[in-house]
């Protein structure tokens, strides 16, 4: 006998909290992997080494982003199938995702192992940063499959009624990363390569936690059931492309901004941006967690055509994300220099800290609009509206940021580089309002 689908029946306030809170905590802890690397490298090696890690970060984001294309699309498609009572189709979608993600992650691993230096050069590494950036890419590449499958199996836990499992796996990951980073960077002096290996091994530890229930045939989605359906995975991947675009756009944004800061202020400018992005990453990850946690509720209820539950879930996610953004905006204005000083020694890196503190106030404007944009993109993914979701993700992460970088640095110097990010978010928010006003009327009629 089929089990009750709690996503369709449980009261929304409790359900929202049960799914969103672990997703937010897990997303933040997952994102801390790179921040932990930065803290240890910044304190034990120096600002140039930390800038090298930031130069290499787009490769890491591409691993995450390509995984998210498969994972987000699969969770949306499988969730809608489960909500509509089509369990066999959900199993086929999931099996197809396993196969495709395995192939993609192995290809990314090979690229990082064989072409680490060319990749680092492509990402904008200067001669001073090239060696460390290449080492980081090469060491991280070994663990590309572990990173990818930890994400897929962790996200899957939300569709099998165990949303806390991804959090448990991620707590394991971050705990292992802190210990291994201290050992590799602080004790053994292995530098950027050691930090990357620590992050990869930590993901492997988290993978061992989240995979367990998915090995059982008793679980509605598992690694044994289903058949490969190319059409299903193509559709799911296209739908998930928006979430992948968010991560690929993050990689491209880092690339564009690194080049702009290098031109405007040299290695110190890149280091300043690296620190600010570490701090801002905390709240951005919370916002993505809000979107990811509410996604299964929306997709299942869309499959069952429960429109009122969809609207209430979306409203709660938007309001919660705005509050988060407001808090970080205030924190950058009030405690910006104190937050930045966590990453560097104030006696030796005072110029970089001052540069970052000044930029933080401009950069903080992003978070007044970014939470709304992130939820809107995830909302359309959950509904299976890939085109709208991709449009939002590309607008906030690529189109408007690139436009801002073309317009503002020439007029405002380094402040213009900082201002390009909030410009991108607010322009996208205007776009989102127009899209929802048009599409929302259709859903109310439905």
């Amino acid at each position: 006998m089929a089990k009750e689908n709690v996503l369709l029946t449980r009261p929304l306030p409790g359900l929202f909290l049960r799914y969103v809170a672990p997703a937010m905590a897990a997303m933040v802890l997952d994102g801390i992997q790179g921040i932990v690397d930065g803290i240890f490298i910044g304190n034990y090696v120096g600002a140039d080494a930390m800038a090298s890690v930031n130069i290499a970060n787009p490769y890491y984001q591409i691993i995450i982003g390509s995984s998210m294309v498969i994972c987000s699309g699969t969770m949306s498609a499988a969730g809608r199938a489960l909500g509509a009572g089509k369990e066999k189709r959900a199993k086929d979608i999931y099996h197809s995702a396993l196969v495709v993600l395995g192939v993609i992650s192995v290809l990314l691993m090979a690229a990082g192992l064989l072409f680490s230096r060319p990749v680092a050069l492509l990402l904008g590494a200067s001669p001073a940063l090239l060696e460390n950036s290449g080492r980081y890419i090469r060491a991280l590449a070994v663990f590309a499959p572990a990173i990818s499958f930890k994400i897929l199996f962790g996200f899957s836990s939300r569709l099998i009624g165990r949303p806390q499992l991804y959090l448990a796996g991620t707590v394991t990951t971050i705990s292992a990363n802190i210990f291994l980073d201290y050992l590799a960077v602080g004790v053994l002096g292995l530098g950027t390569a050691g930090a990357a290996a620590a992050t990869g091994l930590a993901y492997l530890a988290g993978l061992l936690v989240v995979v367990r229930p998915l090995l059982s045939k008793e679980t509605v989605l598992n690694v044994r059931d289903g058949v490969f359906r190319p059409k299903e995975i193509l559709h799911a991947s296209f739908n998930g492309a928006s979430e992948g675009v968010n991560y690929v756009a993050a990689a491209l944004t880092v690339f564009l901004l690194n080049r702009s800061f290098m031109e405007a202020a040299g290695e110190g400018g890149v280091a300043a941006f690296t620190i600010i992005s570490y701090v801002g990453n905390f709240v951005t990850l919370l916002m993505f967690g809000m979107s990811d946690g509410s996604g299964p509720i929306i997709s299942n209820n869309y499959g069952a055509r429960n429109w009122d539950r969809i609207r209430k879930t979306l409203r709660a996610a938007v309001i919660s994300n705005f509050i988060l953004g407001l808090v970080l905006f205030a924190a950058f204005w009030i405690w910006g220099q104190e937050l930045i000083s966590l990453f560097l020694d104030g006696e030796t890196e005072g110029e970089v800290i001052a540069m970052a503190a000044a930029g933080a106030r401009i950069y903080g404007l992003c978070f007044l609009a970014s939470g709304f944009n992130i939820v809107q993109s995830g909302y359309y993914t959950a509904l299976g509206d890939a085109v709208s979701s991709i449009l939002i993700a590309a607008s906030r992460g690529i189109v408007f940021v690139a436009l801002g970088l073309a317009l503002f640095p020439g007029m405002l110097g380094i402040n213009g580089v900082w201002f390009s990010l909030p410009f991108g978010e607010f322009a996208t928010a205007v776009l989102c309002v127009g899209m929802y006003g048009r599409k929302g009327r259709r859903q109310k009629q439905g």
Side-chain angles (χ1 to χ4, degrees):
M1 187 172 67
K3 293 182 179 180
E4 173 196 13
N5 188 339
V6 298
L7 294 165
L8 304 179
T9 59
R10 295 286 176 86
L12 275 178
L15 188 69
F16 184 80
L17 183 62
R18 183 186 173 207
Y19 272 74
V20 165
M24 292 172 67
M27 187 65 79
V28 168
L29 292 175
D30 234 352
I32 286 176
Q33 308 310 320
I35 297 175
V36 171
D37 288 351
I39 291 174
F40 279 96
I41 289 173
N43 282 280
Y44 284 99
V45 186
D48 278 1
M50 188 166 64
S52 297
V53 172
N54 196 50
I55 289 289
N57 186 59
Y59 173 75
Y60 176 52
Q61 292 294 335
I62 288 170
I63 296 174
I64 301 291
S66 61
S67 302
M68 290 296 292
V69 169
I70 306 299
C71 297
S72 297
T74 298
M75 293 306 100
S76 173
R80 283 179 278 120
L82 291 173
K86 300 175 181 178
E87 187 173 303
K88 183 182 182 304
R89 184 185 176 199
K91 291 178 182 293
D92 290 347
I93 292 168
Y94 193 68
H95 178 81
S96 302
L98 290 171
V99 174
V100 173
L101 188 61
V103 172
I104 291 173
S105 62
V106 169
L107 290 174
L108 287 171
M109 177 177 67
L113 288 172
L114 298 175
F115 306 109
S116 57
R117 287 176 66 89
V119 169
L121 283 170
L122 180 65
L123 296 177
S126 67
L129 306 180
L130 177 60
E131 190 62 34
N132 276 327
S133 294
R135 288 173 180 167
Y136 191 89
I137 291 168
R138 191 161 53 251
L140 190 67
V142 175
F143 301 96
I147 295 170
S148 297
F149 280 102
K150 193 264 184 179
I151 295 170
L152 178 62
F153 293 143
F155 274 37
S156 306
S157 66
R158 296 165 188 160
L159 288 183
I160 63 174
R162 299 185 62 180
Q164 75 285 352
L165 187 62
Y166 192 24
L167 177 57
T170 305
V171 169
T172 301
T173 302
I174 187 62
S175 300
N177 198 20
I178 291 171
F179 171 74
L180 292 171
D181 254 327
Y182 171 72
L183 180 64
V185 180
V187 177
L188 299 177
L190 298 178
T192 56
T199 295
L201 287 168
Y203 266 101
L204 182 60
L207 170 62
L208 296 177
V209 173
V210 297
V211 73
R212 287 180 297 171
L214 299 159
L215 300 175
S216 171
K217 287 189 65 110
E218 300 300 315
T219 307
V220 62
L221 298 178
N222 59 75
V223 299
R224 302 184 184 186
D225 291 337
V227 296
F228 183 69
R229 305 281 188 192
K231 184 177 179 181
E232 292 285 10
I233 194 60
L234 284 172
H235 175 74
S237 298
F238 178 62
N239 186 40
S242 60
E243 299 307 297
V245 167
N246 278 317
Y247 285 88
V248 174
L252 181 59
T253 298
V254 169
F255 168 69
L256 292 174
L257 288 166
N258 280 339
R259 293 180 74 90
S260 297
F261 280 116
M262 187 75 78
E263 291 176 3
E267 281 84 359
V270 176
F273 171 59
T274 302
I275 296 165
I276 290 299
S277 64
Y278 281 162
V279 177
N281 203 37
F282 277 104
V283 170
T284 299
L285 290 167
L286 284 172
M287 291 173 173
F288 273 110
M290 182 75 65
S291 177
D292 291 339
S294 59
I297 303 174
I298 293 172
S299 63
N300 272 259
N301 282 280
Y302 183 75
R305 297 299 189 262
N306 293 329
W307 302 111
D308 188 56
R309 288 172 69 86
I310 292 171
R311 285 191 289 269
K312 287 178 178 177
T313 302
L314 178 63
R315 186 182 308 123
V318 167
I319 292 172
S320 300
N321 262 3
F322 177 74
I323 293 171
L324 286 171
L326 189 62
V327 168
L328 184 62
F329 172 72
F332 270 144
W333 272 82
I334 300 170
W335 299 295
Q337 186 155 335
E338 289 79 0
L339 290 170
I340 292 157
S341 297
L342 293 173
F343 293 85
L344 291 174
D345 185 342
E347 294 183 4
T348 60
E349 305 289 355
E351 184 178 344
V352 174
I353 291 174
M355 189 185 306
R361 292 191 169 188
I362 303 172
Y363 180 78
L365 292 167
C366 286
F367 300 97
L368 299 178
S370 60
F372 175 72
N373 297 333
I374 288 167
V375 167
Q376 287 291 311
S377 179
Y379 166 70
Y380 289 118
T381 296
L383 298 188
D385 186 351
V387 173
S388 296
S389 191
I390 291 170
L391 178 61
I392 294 170
S395 295
R396 66 177 291 267
I398 301 173
V399 177
F400 289 126
V401 171
L403 180 61
L405 287 172
L407 293 175
F408 302 121
M411 296 184 289
L412 303 174
I414 192 169
N415 285 340
V417 182
W418 290 114
F419 185 71
S420 299
L421 285 163
F423 169 76
E425 295 290 0
F426 278 94
T428 303
V430 172
L431 175 68
C432 287
V433 170
M435 288 172 57
Y436 187 76
R438 185 177 70 255
K439 294 175 183 289
R441 284 191 291 272
R442 275 193 321 218
Q443 284 187 9
K444 287 181 181 179
Q445 293 169 1

